[in-house]
Structures are given as C-alpha cells and as structure tokens.
Amino acid sequence: ATMTAFGYPETLIREYEHWVVLLRPHQATLGALVLICKDEAEAFADISSAAFAELQQVVGDIEAGLGKFRPYQKINYLMLMMVDRDVHFHVLPRYEATQDFDGTAYPDGGWPKVPDLAGGVKPEASAMVALRAAVKAAWPG
C-alpha cells in the first residue's frame, strides 16, 4: 500500500530484493526519494535480517546515485510512518542553494535546519518523467 501511495511503479528508481527506491512525487528538495521495505512490517525492528543486511548496499547506492545526479551538502533519512505504516524512509538530499532542474527552481526551504516537507515542488507529470530518468541514469550498477 505504501509503494502505491508513492506512485509505484511509475516512480520506481530501483528495486532490490527487500527494498524499493521511488522518486518522491512531492519534491521537498530536488531528488527526494522514498525508500520502502518490501517486508510486511510496521516497525523497523520487525523487518527481516536479510532486509537489514541489504540496507547497507541500498543506502550506499542512494548516496552515490544522488551525489552523481546533483552534489548535495547533506542527506536526511526521515522515518515517519504516520500515515503510510509500512517501514519506509523519506530520503532528502539537502542543498544550501536553490537547485534548478529542467527550468524549475527547487528550494530547500528548511536549510540548514529541519527539512520543510510541506514546501518544495510537486512536478507536473512530464517533469517527473524527466527527473526520474535523470536520477536513474546516475544510479550505480
């Protein structure tokens, strides 16, 4: 259900055995992602040991891919799970300056403090397709 809520499969960046990485439909910052565990678990402690083990590779790929797509100053992993209860993280690359992608400005309204999840940009469908393609092209492997 959480995967569908975040636009799967149209927003898919990469699927792993235990995790999926999706482009966040609301871009709180440019390149914002959602990292969702495929295990049926609503608590982080309840995911499988295999999912925990794979998380190291997935996080490494996220940081390498986002860094190649657009160098960021910091990266935040937010595990909120209030509305969408499956184990997932909102992954937000953080930028000191407003970023431009395909003619649209993507500010980081919370920089350098807590990210502004309500701010940012909700790209049109064609912009999402272009953004997804750019992030996927930068992904390792």
Side-chain angles (χ1 to χ4, degrees):
T2 301
M3 289 169 53
T4 305
F6 287 103
Y8 179 86
E10 290 81 15
T11 57
L12 181 65
I13 299 296
R14 173 90 185 265
E15 188 158 353
Y16 297 84
E17 185 176 349
H18 299 280
W19 297 89
V20 293
V21 178
L22 307 178
L23 186 64
R24 195 171 187 269
H26 182 110
Q27 291 284 289
T29 62
L30 180 62
L33 306 173
V34 184
L35 170 60
I36 304 170
C37 187
K38 292 162 52 176
D39 290 358
E40 290 188 28
E42 291 186 6
F44 194 35
D46 291 340
I47 70 172
S48 66
S49 25
F52 270 117
E54 188 180 53
L55 189 57
Q56 182 177 18
Q57 175 198 349
V58 177
V59 168
D61 287 355
I62 285 171
E63 294 180 8
L66 286 177
K68 185 176 176 188
F69 163 69
R70 183 72 50 101
Y72 53 84
Q73 280 68 53
K74 296 280 184 185
I75 192 163
N76 295 152
Y77 294 86
L78 306 177
M79 181 181 272
L80 303 172
M81 299 181 347
M82 298 300 293
V83 175
D84 303 295
R85 299 217 179 255
D86 297 319
V87 171
H88 69 285
F89 297 87
H90 296 264
V91 181
L92 304 175
R94 304 297 306 277
Y95 307 99
E96 290 179 286
T98 296
Q99 301 296 299
D100 181 83
F101 180 80
D102 205 25
T104 299
Y106 291 81
D108 183 343
W111 179 266
K113 298 183 179 178
V114 176
D116 178 8
L117 294 177
V121 176
K122 186 165 172 66
E124 298 291 327
S126 61
M128 278 293 286
V129 168
L131 183 54
R132 177 181 173 228
V135 172
K136 281 183 78 162
W139 212 257

